[in-house]
Structures are given as structure tokens and as C-alpha cells.
Amino acid sequence: MPKINTTKIQLSTLIGAILFCNLIFSQEYKTNKIIVDQGTKAPLGFVNINNSLDNTISNEDGQFVFISKENSIKISRVGYQPVATTFAAIAVLDTIFLEAVTTELEEVVVTNTSSLLNDVYRNVAKWYPIETFSEKFFIRAVLKKNNEITRLQDISGRIESNAMFLNQTIKKKEHSLEILNLRKTDIVNKAQVEYYEFLSANSLYSWFSGIFTVPSDYVFTKVKSTDPQYIKIEYSKSDQNTSSLYRNGYYLIDKDEKSIKEVGYKLYGDKSQIPYQSKGPIKWRTIEADLVVNYVKSPKNNKYYVGSAKLSTITEVVNEKKGEKDIYECTYDLITVDSFIEENVKPNFSVSRDLFKSNFSYSEEFWNSQNQLPLTKELKSFLQRINDTKSIKSDFKIHGNF
């Protein structure tokens, strides 16, 4: 009768068990879906899709791609009932429907702002990072001229910030930027004189973090909502200046934590009263800006971070020599892919430079597999136009790395 080495059997069984466990824990889930309004069936953009490990949002067509090693998924957008589900549960669905939450019309002017807003301000150190932290991000910048896309830039990278908000000890925001992957392209008429600058990383993150108002400068209105967890406070500048942009917005505040879940900020005004800036024959003025910032709480440290943000600006440009006027619309979408990371940020591009001036090689492998903000139908049409223009002689020139 042959001898049986139980030690080897036990060892091989143990190794097999370990490999099986590693296989389970390293399993990667992936889904690609469309999110629409349950009532209107209209696609919903800027919907948050996340879990404790990963974060993304849907694009303007309502499409999202989500990849994670965690099976759970939370889908949420202000004004809609949140959905808690799993990759397995939505695998059989082509479309995800979100149910709108009806907001009551009753409004009350808030006179004692210290009872709520000052509590929120005092809780900043509790709920938001006030020390140096790093994040992985994805930024998409799109430029339109007279309602037609002329530029696209996607950036994947890491950024280090000395704090989320300015405070008594930190008077200046400082950042370090590491661009890991980049794709960009634009198309301009060869006769065009003006160049539209993209914001720098410093300017962009200043927009995303400059959300707090001075209570004495604004009028606040509490909007009563059916959502039992949040209070919505709308605000407007109390002494609007007709020669500049008007300012108003809102805070979505967690009742229990006294923390800000979402903030909106809008600049607009009477165009006839807004002054121009000028250089040579070109003069320009920003006539509108719209910002939405959504905060997500990290399970790593129980602190909020900017899960996603969207900044849109409209600028009027006049060429006095040619007698031409153009309208530029620029949008910046930010997704924090991973918050409070331990990896070191290795700066490779100035945080004070126009982001479109960054020059890095295009990685086909990365962009074919990345899962942030799938290209919309409009962007796909723009890229097709780029390809078509490259193959013929035209009055346009093309810049880019892909």
C-alpha cells in the first residue's frame, strides 16, 4: 500500500484555498448602462455612481461605465430617489430608471443664518480635509464655438492639495499636478486670430473649492423638500451690482451632520452692463458661469471629498477689425476617481498653466480601457469631423495628440 504524505496534501489544499480566496477578492465587476428619468424617459447626466472603492458619473447621454472590485453600487442624483443595487442585479437591465422626488413649493426666508449655516461652517474641520491630501482624478474639458464643438481634452492624473478650503491657518491654496494620461484635439480656422485659454489646474480647483459665502452679503431662502435627510438653502447676493454678474446658488445640507452634500453657484447678468476686456482688435467678456459640486464621503477617513463637479462658462468674443462676434461655451467635468490616496504625486506640469498647453503622448491602450465619462454621441461626431478634415485640404488646422 503506497504511503500518503498528508503534509503535502494539507499544504496543497491550503495553497488552493488561498488561490481561490485571492481569485474571489480580485474579481473585477464591470457594467455599461444608460440612466434615464422614469417619467420623461430623458437621459440623465451627472448622476453619481459609486461604492466604497470607486466613483464615476454618467455623461450627458446618461451613459456610464463602472468598474470595481466591490459588487455593490449606489446610484444617486439630487432630485431623484437613490438606488442601492449590485452589478449582478443590473446585469439584465439595458436601462436604469430614476424616480424624481417632488419638491414642495413652500419657501421660508431664513433670518437666523447662524442657527444652520454657521453650524455648517464650524463643522468644516470635522467633515472635510483641512490638511494635505492627494486624489486620482479625471477631467474632461470641451469647448464650443457658436454651438459647435471645436476642442476636446481628457486628462487622467493625480493631484495633491494642501487643504480643501481656505481657513485661518491656510490663506492660500497650493496644488501639485501629475498628468498620467492625456488625449486632446482641436480644430480652428486658419484665419482665426483669437486663442481660447483653458483654465489652469489652480484656477479650476479654486472654482471647485470656493463654495462658502459670507452670510451677511446674501439673502437665504429655505426650500422645504420631501427628502427627510437634506435641507436646501437657496441664496442670492443682497446688493447686486448691475455692472457685473449677478450671483446666486444653493446648498444641499445634511440635517444630522450639518455638512454640505451639494452646492450650486451661478453668475449671470445684463450683457449690456458687463464690461469687456481687450487686447488689440479682440475684446471679450464672460456673460455666464454655472457651477455644481457634489460631495461624497470616503470610508477611509469619514471625510467628504469632491466626488464630481461641473463648471460651465459662456464668453462673448468680438473681433472689432472684422466686425465679428462669437460665443464660446466651455465646460469642465471633474470626477475624483479615488480619494485620499497614499501614492506620491510626482509633479510634471505647472498648476498655473493653461491645461490645453500640456503635451504628453497618447496611450491607445489606456484610452481604450478607461471607464470614466464615455464619449457622447456629439463628441463622437466631433472626432469623426476631425478625421474627415485630416484627409482633405481645408481652411482648418488641427492640433492634438491622437
Side-chain angles (χ1 to χ4, degrees):
M1 184 176 183
K3 293 182 178 181
I4 299 176
N5 191 329
T6 57
T7 303
K8 287 185 177 181
I9 292 178
Q10 290 171 355
L11 182 60
S12 62
T13 303
L14 178 61
I15 292 173
I18 292 173
L19 291 175
F20 178 71
C21 289
N22 285 341
L23 180 62
I24 291 176
F25 287 114
S26 64
Q27 180 178 354
E28 193 170 70
Y29 302 93
K30 181 177 180 179
T31 188
N32 184 339
K33 301 295 178 183
I34 302 289
I35 302 176
V36 303
D37 182 291
Q38 182 171 290
T40 66
K41 305 301 185 291
L44 293 176
F46 208 64
V47 177
N48 292 289
I49 303 98
N50 56 47
N51 56 29
S52 64
L53 298 179
D54 300 284
N55 182 60
T56 191
I57 61 173
S58 60
N59 66 17
E60 293 178 358
D61 294 337
Q63 183 185 8
F64 74 92
V65 176
F66 191 50
I67 301 174
S68 181
K69 292 182 179 180
E70 181 179 313
N71 190 30
S72 65
I73 304 175
K74 182 180 179 182
I75 302 172
S76 61
R77 174 175 156 166
V78 173
Y80 290 85
Q81 296 285 2
V83 173
T85 185
T86 64
F87 282 88
I90 65 173
V92 296
L93 303 176
D94 294 323
T95 305
I96 297 172
F97 297 90
L98 292 190
E99 182 182 356
V101 175
T102 303
T103 302
E104 298 178 10
L105 298 179
E106 179 182 349
E107 296 185 354
V108 180
V109 175
V110 180
T111 55
N112 57 336
T113 56
S114 60
S115 64
L116 180 60
L117 293 175
N118 287 343
D119 285 346
V120 171
Y121 291 178
R122 282 193 291 267
N123 279 339
V124 166
K126 179 180 179 180
W127 296 119
Y128 306 91
I130 58 172
E131 65 286 323
T132 299
F133 65 98
S134 300
E135 300 172 312
K136 290 181 180 178
F137 70 85
F138 179 92
I139 291 174
R140 169 166 294 165
V142 177
L143 181 67
K144 290 184 177 182
K145 180 180 179 181
N146 300 326
N147 209 36
E148 185 175 54
I149 296 177
T150 60
R151 185 187 299 174
L152 165 66
Q153 182 174 30
D154 285 343
I155 304 173
S156 173
R158 291 190 281 249
I159 190 164
E160 180 182 280
S161 306
N162 61 337
M164 182 172 285
F165 307 120
L166 297 178
N167 53 56
Q168 292 181 348
T169 58
I170 299 178
K171 306 294 185 182
K172 181 182 178 181
K173 291 290 295 294
E174 296 179 354
H175 302 97
S176 296
L177 175 66
E178 180 182 7
I179 294 177
L180 299 175
N181 287 282
L182 177 146
R183 63 180 176 187
K184 66 174 187 176
T185 187
D186 77 344
I187 181 170
V188 296
N189 192 298
K190 294 176 181 177
Q192 181 172 310
V193 177
E194 74 274 12
Y195 167 76
Y196 188 101
E197 284 190 6
F198 273 173
L199 292 177
S200 66
N202 264 346
S203 297
L204 195 56
Y205 273 83
S206 292
W207 272 95
F208 296 152
S209 62
I211 66 168
F212 290 105
T213 58
V214 180
S216 59
D217 293 346
Y218 288 80
V219 174
F220 296 87
T221 303
K222 177 181 176 182
V223 180
K224 189 175 180 180
S225 173
T226 56
D227 191 327
Q229 189 59 39
Y230 299 106
I231 300 171
K232 188 173 184 179
I233 302 291
E234 296 181 346
Y235 62 86
S236 58
K237 198 84 164 63
S238 55
D239 57 342
Q240 302 282 14
N241 185 343
T242 56
S243 66
S244 62
L245 295 171
Y246 301 139
R247 304 177 184 184
N248 61 27
Y250 67 87
Y251 293 127
L252 194 67
I253 299 171
D254 187 289
K255 287 182 179 179
D256 299 329
E257 296 179 347
K258 300 297 187 295
S259 62
I260 295 178
K261 168 64 176 175
E262 184 174 291
V263 62
Y265 187 68
K266 189 176 184 66
L267 299 175
Y268 64 99
D270 181 354
K271 289 194 293 184
S272 65
Q273 300 296 319
I274 301 173
Y276 285 98
Q277 299 180 65
S278 62
K279 185 176 183 180
I282 306 297
K283 63 179 185 178
W284 68 93
R285 59 184 178 183
T286 299
I287 57 178
E288 190 174 316
D290 204 342
L291 172 71
V292 177
V293 182
N294 182 273
Y295 295 92
V296 176
K297 187 187 289 184
S298 171
K300 297 178 183 177
N301 57 6
N302 210 36
K303 299 277 188 178
Y304 281 97
Y305 63 94
V306 176
S308 57
K310 188 181 189 73
L311 172 64
S312 304
T313 64
I314 299 178
T315 304
E316 182 183 87
V317 178
V318 177
N319 186 324
E320 294 185 296
K321 187 176 181 180
K322 295 184 177 180
E324 297 175 347
K325 182 173 74 174
D326 298 300
I327 300 295
Y328 285 88
E329 300 172 63
C330 190
T331 60
Y332 303 89
D333 284 293
L334 166 72
I335 303 172
T336 301
V337 180
D338 193 5
S339 62
F340 309 117
I341 61 175
E342 296 181 359
E343 296 99 315
N344 292 326
V345 175
K346 302 174 183 178
N348 58 4
F349 187 74
S350 171
V351 293
S352 59
R353 288 190 67 193
D354 168 0
L355 283 171
F356 197 71
K357 294 296 185 181
S358 55
N359 289 307
F360 294 86
S361 299
Y362 173 76
S363 170
E364 184 174 2
E365 179 181 2
F366 173 82
W367 291 109
N368 284 343
S369 62
Q370 74 90 26
N371 67 319
Q372 300 298 328
L373 281 182
L375 293 171
T376 63
K377 294 176 183 177
E378 187 179 23
L379 286 172
K380 289 178 181 178
S381 296
F382 165 66
L383 293 179
Q384 185 60 53
R385 179 187 169 210
I386 292 286
N387 287 332
D388 293 344
T389 304
K390 284 181 178 179
S391 62
I392 61 173
K393 286 188 175 182
S394 71
D395 294 330
F396 296 90
K397 54 184 178 181
I398 296 170
H399 309 98
N401 70 343
F402 80 108

